[in-house]
Amino acid sequence: MYASRSQFCAQPTPARSRGRAAVACLLPLVCSVVCSLGAPSAAAQVGAQVAYEDEEPLLPDAISELDVTLRARFARQWRQDDGTLVVLLTGGFQLDMGQRRLSAVDAVVWITPRHAEDGRKFYELTVYLSEEAEVREIGGSTVEDRVLLVSNIRTSGRITKLHDAHSPEVLEDSDLYQRAVADRARIEALLEQQGAAGTEVVSPEELRRRAQKPARVIFYRLSGGVEPAQTEQGDTVFVATNGVYFSQTGTPDAPALVIQAQNAVIFPAATSAALFLGEETGEESDTEAASQPIEGEAEAGEERPVERTPTAAPEAIRRQIRGVYLEGDVVLTLGERVVRASRLYYDFEMDRALMLDAVFRTDLPERGVPLYVRADEIRQLSAREFSADKARVSTSEFYTPHYHVGAERIYLRDRTARDAGGRAAGPLRGEYELRNATLNVENWPLLWWPYSQGDVEQSETLLRRIRTGYSSDKGVEFESAWYLFNLLGLKPPPGYDATLKLDYFSDRGPAAGVDVDYETAEQFGLFRSYYVNDHGEDNLGPLRRDQEEPDNDNRGRVLWRHRHYLPNDWEVSLEFAYASDPYYLEEWEKSEWFEGKDQESAVYLKRAKDVDAITLLANWRTLDFETQTEHLPELVYRRLADTFLSPVNLYHESRVGSVRYKLDDRHFVDAPRYSAVGDTDVTFRTGFREEAELPLKLPGLNAVPFSSFNGYFWDGMPLRDGSLWRGVGVLGVRGGGWLARVFDEMKSDLFDINRVRHIIQPHFVAWWSASNLRSEYVTPFDEGVETIDDFYGAAVGVKQTWQTKRGAGDKQRTVDLLTLDLEIGGFGSAQHDEFSNGYANPIRPEDSRSRNYASLDLVYRLSDTTSFLYDLNFDLNDGKLDRHDISLAVERNPRLSYVFGYRHAGDIDSDLIGGGYNYKLNEKHITSVRIWYDLDRGELGEIALIYIRKLPRWYVGINLEFDEVFDEMSVSVSMWPEGIPEWTLGSRRFTGLATSTGIKP
């Protein structure tokens, strides 16, 4: 439930509600248009309050499974004695939970762990919003005030914080927290007095009173005259002119309704005609509709006209209006949606309507654009069924838009869950059917599909995205993605989404693929497939020009990954991967090649509960050009933080099974240290790792002495005849501390410094190890098992943070002014040199990279919009600077942001300088540049020039890119409708600049 502080203060700031849409698509967008008729508009709420005095919308009491994301610039958190976690967030707070959003300048969030009746753990959140507070519910309705309290948010999902700076500092004495506690106590006390604490509490008498009320009460107001008339069948009707107003309360099956027009013909029930005119019928009325003379005295012999004001009609009248026909500036409001029509008839008894020459308008807040639907006829078939003929859907207010989606006929059914007042109480849902749908540009149909059907959930459409462009690698490019289930006219299974890809590249060939994603309560997974008839050449960079022509024109991939949750905490993961050749993924799926998981076929069974975990892995190499270890199979048992020898903590890992090492048949990715190792036969392997640690709290220091032992046995090794065993023992200590001091005298207006707090966090690790065998003699089946070596080492570092106060008056906040991390590590008796920067792993020292180093990381926040960054790594083995980077990042929102930097990589003798900027000249013109230059080689590495022009409801972008490394050049003209970047014709790389000039776009 939520409430504003202004409701309980002597001088309130009135809360405002406004309706918003939550739809985000175009082609059968009309599905969302009518079927997602959400929370009542402000006018409808006023009408409803006359009858019920409805409370403000409630957040659902049910336990949600949605994740919660908290965002702010600064976060402070601490835990109360009852286990409640308090998070104080300042600087642009935002909470997202599915389609629900809470925002304010500052906020305090109380997170309390709970357990449901079935034992399931969940979290209950209470959120205090301070300054510019806004709550947007799932249905789109929004409440704003200076201060709001939102309670009863329950979720079993994950809670994530995103922030620029964080501190565990307890700020219970801060002004914000004290206000939050006081306001929360006052609001909850008054809500409890009103019987509305947490969820709505209604007395038995109130329930009986509500049960006696009609399902949907009708209100009306007639500003002009009312005259009786008769139809050809002899029924009595009434003609109202010069302004009419009708409203109908919402129910769980329908949103609230408001209709306004200039003139109307009212069709009352036969028994209510006299009541409508205020005549005597013997029935009691709840209010009196009197006829009052116009103010002022009449002269002798002069009659004054009488003004009838039936604005407070008897309750019987409200129940007995059968229907109404309206003309002249007809406006119908269903929830937050608005329909304007030349003529309209509404049947209140059957919840049916006919709207002629209708224009439907709603807002798409997620995209920041309006949505218009024009149709010759829009029919409401029932409270939840609608149809439209000859409909045109677009984001343009013009009668003849630049583009639109057309359909000969649309049918849809609303399945949105609603509360007692007709407000949307969950995600917008519905089903639709489309016949003869077309995508039109300047009234020219470009795409057509005869029939489709599917579910409407926020953004369903036939066309998911489209892209065109040109590159020197692939030529003219055309890529499109379609909702597969909608194309086939099939209803998708719950939790499933499928995409059909249809592409063409002039220098390579046609291509097609199917992607499927699915997630249910018991399983989730993905399927990826793609085929290209490739008659071109790959571009693998300057070092592999001789490997660029594929062996076969028929290229593609298949990938399936699936996880299923089983009873008793078991889960099974299945995976299958196939690629046609070694370079397919590198050429056609670059992001997956560089960043994704290895391609393999596997079965993985796992059970994890409390401190125990047991896994069974069986995997096979299906791609000869991948270096992989096959497990045929292998059983692993792990136990974490066992405390039966308290205060000593024990960690255990043991494994048994068969493994086989399969080397890349090209021998392309061999590490030199394993150059003598080839494919192996099936090898039996068993072993364990045992670790013990003793946490100690010393004055000003936490220290943890530890010891571990790795012992493994193999029944055969190619570099050693017969069986082999190996043991690696480690002894060491790790620890750290925390110191802080406040300097009140440090102040500077020039550098925006108001007091400084210096936080020092030293940390260290040192260890010694011994082994009976070097790792070079062991086949590298698994990282961290066969690859570890016996060497000693130590690393010591300190993280320093200087914090200050910034901001005006009571809005001051804590800012991390400067952070400086220093670390130095040294190693001895290593059996081989590492080919990367040194690194000390304090948790598993045997996994450290044994190369002596010194490192530094620095971030200086000159202001809220300007940051200076520097980092380096110095190789103490050869006395050279392996790496150092320096950059300046500036964001002058909303018009300008830029970043410039220099990078040195000593191992490859590379010195690069580069950067870029985003600049909005005005609301119509945006420019951007990306560039980097190789100082050593005197070559331009890459440059991109971007210009974006905003047109009415359209964006046009020109993008010129040149990549010297891969010798590629591309130029494209991009066009996309405002708010729908997935419909971009051309490159989509910089479409984000249309809405943000931040550094990321």
Side-chain angles (χ1 to χ4, degrees):
M1 180 172 189
Y2 61 84
S4 64
R5 185 172 66 175
S6 65
Q7 295 174 273
F8 309 105
C9 297
Q11 296 179 345
T13 302
R16 294 180 291 140
S17 290
R18 67 171 183 265
R20 291 183 178 177
V23 199
C25 65
L26 268 198
L27 189 57
L29 250 199
V30 72
C31 313
S32 298
V33 167
V34 187
C35 87
S36 58
L37 304 173
S41 66
Q45 289 175 348
V46 171
Q49 288 170 355
V50 174
Y52 292 116
E53 297 182 354
D54 283 350
E55 298 176 352
E56 291 180 324
L58 296 176
L59 296 170
D61 292 328
I63 300 174
S64 170
E65 295 182 354
L66 294 173
D67 294 339
V68 174
T69 302
L70 308 174
R71 292 181 173 87
R73 186 177 292 275
F74 308 103
R76 305 291 182 268
Q77 72 178 45
W78 63 91
R79 194 172 297 275
Q80 297 178 333
D81 294 339
D82 62 353
T84 297
L85 181 66
V86 181
V87 187
L88 190 147
L89 302 111
T90 57
F93 169 77
Q94 181 175 303
L95 181 150
D96 291 305
M97 181 179 178
Q99 296 299 315
R100 182 176 290 113
R101 172 168 292 178
L102 284 61
S103 61
V105 175
D106 304 318
V108 178
V109 182
W110 291 271
I111 305 174
T112 305
R114 306 285 191 193
H115 286 85
E117 295 180 357
D118 58 2
R120 180 168 55 124
K121 184 178 180 180
F122 69 94
Y123 297 94
E124 185 172 278
L125 281 71
T126 299
V127 184
Y128 175 81
L129 304 173
S130 176
E131 304 302 331
E132 301 179 17
E134 179 179 285
V135 176
R136 190 184 71 193
E137 293 195 272
I138 293 176
S141 63
T142 300
V143 172
E144 297 176 345
D145 210 322
R146 191 166 66 88
V147 171
L148 291 172
L149 179 71
V150 185
S151 60
N152 203 31
I153 301 178
R154 301 176 178 181
T155 180
S156 60
R158 181 174 56 184
I159 301 176
T160 305
K161 298 196 313 296
L162 302 176
H163 46 71
D164 292 342
H166 171 267
S167 171
E169 178 186 11
V170 177
L171 293 181
E172 291 185 344
D173 295 333
S174 66
D175 293 340
L176 173 60
Y177 185 74
Q178 291 298 319
R179 289 199 315 270
V181 171
D183 287 340
R184 178 183 178 184
R186 182 163 59 252
I187 291 173
E188 289 180 344
L190 289 172
L191 288 175
E192 186 174 0
Q193 293 176 9
Q194 298 176 4
T199 56
E200 184 182 18
V201 179
V202 183
S203 65
E205 292 76 16
E206 174 66 6
L207 291 175
R208 282 195 295 271
R209 183 180 69 82
R210 292 188 179 187
Q212 295 171 356
K213 285 185 174 293
R216 302 190 72 184
V217 178
I218 302 171
F219 301 90
Y220 64 90
R221 182 175 63 250
L222 309 178
S223 301
V226 181
E227 298 294 338
Q230 284 190 335
T231 66
E232 294 181 355
Q233 292 75 22
D235 296 330
T236 300
V237 296
F238 298 90
V239 179
T241 57
N242 297 326
V244 295
Y245 170 93
F246 296 87
S247 68
Q248 190 176 35
T249 57
T251 71
D253 289 327
L257 166 73
V258 174
I259 311 176
Q260 303 176 70
Q262 287 297 313
N263 308 309
V265 177
I266 304 167
F267 297 83
T271 58
S272 64
L275 285 172
F276 192 86
L277 292 174
E279 298 176 3
E280 296 293 337
T281 63
E283 295 187 21
E284 295 183 1
S285 62
D286 56 351
T287 57
E288 182 178 0
S291 299
Q292 301 291 343
I294 297 177
E295 296 180 1
E297 295 183 2
E299 297 180 0
E302 180 185 1
E303 293 185 359
R304 287 284 192 179
V306 174
E307 179 185 34
R308 293 192 179 275
T309 59
T311 57
E315 187 67 30
I317 294 298
R318 296 173 182 163
R319 290 194 293 266
Q320 297 181 35
I321 295 180
R322 292 187 293 120
V324 59
Y325 170 81
L326 304 105
E327 287 185 352
D329 297 330
V330 182
V331 180
L332 178 145
T333 303
L334 282 163
E336 68 274 12
R337 277 68 170 171
V338 178
V339 179
R340 295 184 180 274
S342 60
R343 294 171 292 168
L344 183 149
Y345 176 77
Y346 201 94
D347 187 332
F348 291 105
E349 294 180 331
M350 303 298 293
D351 284 321
R352 293 184 177 181
L354 173 62
M355 294 160 270
L356 303 180
D357 298 328
V359 178
F360 176 95
R361 187 194 188 279
T362 189
D363 291 323
L364 308 180
E366 293 86 355
R367 298 176 178 270
V369 295
L371 175 72
Y372 294 89
V373 179
R374 293 174 172 82
D376 294 343
E377 291 184 0
I378 297 179
R379 292 178 178 267
Q380 179 176 321
L381 307 178
S382 68
R384 286 184 174 266
E385 293 179 287
F386 305 87
S387 69
D389 294 329
K390 299 180 180 179
R392 292 181 296 163
V393 185
S394 75
T395 59
S396 173
E397 60 272 30
F398 297 118
Y399 179 80
T400 304
H402 297 295
Y403 74 96
H404 71 271
V405 174
E408 181 180 355
R409 183 171 179 80
I410 299 174
Y411 168 84
L412 52 103
R413 174 179 172 80
D414 182 11
R415 295 191 293 107
T416 303
R418 301 186 182 278
D419 61 16
R423 296 177 288 260
L428 305 177
R429 302 180 184 276
E431 300 172 353
Y432 73 88
E433 295 181 15
L434 272 178
R435 298 185 183 276
N436 291 325
T438 58
L439 173 63
N440 303 266
V441 176
E442 297 294 346
N443 283 331
W444 285 88
L446 301 181
L447 301 173
W448 169 83
W449 196 255
Y451 174 80
S452 69
Q453 71 173 23
D455 288 340
V456 177
E457 295 188 19
Q458 304 299 336
S459 58
E460 286 289 340
T461 179
L462 289 178
L463 180 63
R464 189 187 292 267
R465 60 182 176 271
I466 187 172
R467 190 189 79 84
T468 62
Y470 171 83
S471 71
S472 57
D473 181 26
K474 296 182 176 68
V476 178
E477 304 171 347
F478 173 83
E479 298 175 78
S480 64
W482 307 79
Y483 287 93
L484 182 58
F485 287 114
N486 300 353
L487 282 173
L488 299 177
L490 300 176
K491 181 179 180 180
Y496 279 72
D497 183 28
T499 300
L500 172 66
K501 295 180 179 179
L502 298 176
D503 305 334
Y504 180 77
F505 309 92
S506 63
D507 290 349
R508 310 302 288 266
V514 173
D515 291 351
V516 180
D517 294 275
Y518 56 93
E519 181 174 4
T520 66
E522 297 181 348
Q523 62 182 357
F524 70 91
L526 60 84
F527 175 82
R528 300 287 183 266
S529 66
Y530 198 72
Y531 166 80
V532 55
N533 184 242
D534 191 350
H535 49 262
E537 292 184 354
D538 293 342
N539 188 350
L540 305 177
L543 302 180
R544 290 184 287 164
R545 297 297 186 192
D546 58 336
Q547 301 170 348
E548 294 183 338
E549 185 171 354
D551 296 333
N552 195 311
D553 288 350
N554 298 310
R555 309 178 70 189
R557 61 90 56 92
V558 176
L559 173 67
W560 176 53
R561 290 174 180 159
H562 172 85
R563 178 167 296 172
H564 204 102
Y565 297 104
L566 305 174
N568 301 318
D569 299 309
W570 285 94
E571 64 182 52
V572 61
S573 299
L574 308 174
E575 183 169 348
F576 172 78
Y578 166 80
S580 60
D581 57 82
Y583 307 109
Y584 169 80
L585 291 175
E586 188 174 0
E587 174 69 12
W588 292 92
E589 307 288 346
K590 289 185 182 294
S591 61
E592 185 175 350
W593 168 260
F594 286 110
E595 304 171 10
K597 180 182 178 295
D598 289 342
Q599 307 288 307
E600 61 179 343
S601 298
V603 178
Y604 184 67
L605 188 65
K606 173 184 174 182
R607 182 183 187 271
K609 187 176 183 181
D610 299 327
V611 298
D612 293 286
I614 184 171
T615 63
L616 180 68
L617 172 63
N619 68 316
W620 303 267
R621 188 182 74 164
T622 55
L623 307 176
D624 294 339
F625 44 82
E626 293 281 347
T627 296
Q628 288 182 352
T629 295
E630 298 179 335
H631 300 79
L632 304 168
E634 184 175 60
L635 182 69
V636 180
Y637 172 74
R638 296 178 177 89
R639 188 172 179 86
L640 304 178
D642 210 338
T643 58
F644 72 91
L645 290 179
S646 180
V648 176
N649 296 329
L650 300 178
Y651 299 84
H652 173 81
E653 176 184 301
S654 59
R655 61 181 71 214
V656 59
S658 297
V659 291
R660 180 167 57 192
Y661 188 72
K662 304 288 286 185
L663 196 64
D664 179 351
D665 59 4
R666 301 165 296 163
H667 297 270
F668 177 69
V669 295
D670 294 357
R673 62 183 292 189
Y674 303 131
S675 59
V677 177
D679 292 351
T680 68
D681 296 328
V682 176
T683 302
F684 173 77
R685 178 180 67 178
T686 184
F688 68 95
R689 182 185 189 275
E690 196 73 39
E691 180 179 348
E693 63 177 28
L694 177 62
L696 300 175
K697 285 189 175 295
L698 306 175
L701 180 69
N702 295 326
V704 183
F706 63 89
S707 66
S708 67
F709 181 78
N710 287 268
Y712 278 89
F713 169 82
W714 301 266
D715 69 352
M717 280 287 171
L719 299 182
R720 305 287 288 240
D721 294 334
S723 61
L724 184 68
W725 78 273
R726 182 174 186 245
V728 180
V730 181
L731 292 174
V733 61
R734 58 177 172 264
W738 193 89
L739 304 170
R741 181 180 176 184
V742 177
F743 299 89
D744 292 318
E745 68 279 5
M746 296 187 65
K747 296 184 179 182
S748 172
D749 294 335
L750 177 63
F751 295 101
D752 197 7
I753 295 176
N754 181 19
R755 305 173 63 207
V756 170
R757 176 170 51 190
H758 185 195
I759 302 172
I760 304 175
Q761 297 171 276
H763 58 87
F764 65 90
V765 61
W767 73 93
W768 173 88
S769 64
S771 174
N772 66 321
L773 191 68
R774 292 164 50 183
S775 65
E776 284 87 344
Y777 294 102
V778 185
T779 302
F781 292 113
D782 287 297
E783 194 75 24
V785 177
E786 286 83 6
T787 60
I788 60 177
D789 272 301
D790 57 333
F791 59 95
Y792 60 87
V796 60
V798 58
K799 178 178 181 180
Q800 301 184 80
T801 304
W802 287 265
Q803 297 179 331
T804 189
K805 292 280 189 178
R806 283 179 175 168
D810 59 354
K811 293 185 179 181
Q812 282 196 341
R813 63 195 182 280
T814 301
V815 177
D816 288 345
L817 176 66
L818 175 67
T819 60
L820 176 62
D821 296 349
L822 298 170
E823 186 173 279
I824 184 170
F827 310 89
S829 70
Q831 303 296 336
H832 56 80
D833 286 333
E834 294 287 354
F835 287 86
S836 60
N837 297 331
Y839 165 72
N841 186 338
I843 304 302
R844 287 198 173 193
E846 61 268 32
D847 289 338
S848 302
R849 294 196 295 264
S850 57
R851 193 168 182 87
N852 301 330
Y853 70 95
S855 66
L856 177 148
D857 287 287
L858 180 145
V859 177
Y860 176 34
R861 191 183 297 274
L862 286 81
S863 67
D864 289 347
T865 61
T866 305
S867 296
F868 173 80
L869 304 94
Y870 180 73
D871 65 89
L872 68 82
N873 187 91
F874 188 82
D875 193 321
L876 298 177
N877 282 20
D878 56 19
K880 294 182 179 179
L881 194 63
D882 278 350
R883 170 184 55 81
H884 73 111
D885 307 316
I886 182 171
S887 59
L888 180 70
V890 179
E891 288 191 278
R892 299 283 190 259
N893 291 327
R895 294 190 60 186
L896 173 66
S897 66
Y898 56 89
V899 59
F900 295 102
Y902 164 78
R903 169 171 294 180
H904 167 77
D907 289 340
I908 58 175
D909 295 325
S910 177
D911 289 276
L912 307 177
I913 186 170
Y917 73 84
N918 304 323
Y919 181 49
K920 180 184 288 187
L921 300 172
N922 52 43
E923 291 302 318
K924 294 183 178 181
H925 304 277
I926 303 170
T927 63
S928 183
V929 170
R930 304 287 186 273
I931 185 172
W932 64 267
Y933 185 84
D934 192 324
L935 297 175
D936 288 335
R937 296 170 177 79
E939 296 178 352
L940 182 67
E942 181 181 12
I943 184 171
L945 306 175
I946 303 96
Y947 167 74
I948 296 176
R949 173 71 159 88
K950 187 180 186 302
L951 302 172
R953 302 301 178 196
W954 275 90
Y955 287 96
V956 176
I958 301 175
N959 180 14
L960 173 64
E961 297 183 57
F962 178 74
D963 188 335
E964 175 67 22
V965 176
F966 287 92
D967 193 22
E968 287 185 2
M969 186 275 292
S970 65
V971 58
S972 65
V973 177
S974 304
M975 296 183 293
W976 65 96
E978 183 180 6
I980 315 177
E982 61 266 35
W983 281 25
T984 300
L985 297 174
S987 173
R988 293 179 56 193
R989 180 179 177 184
F990 297 102
T991 55
L993 286 171
T995 55
S996 173
T997 59
I999 288 179
K1000 285 184 178 180

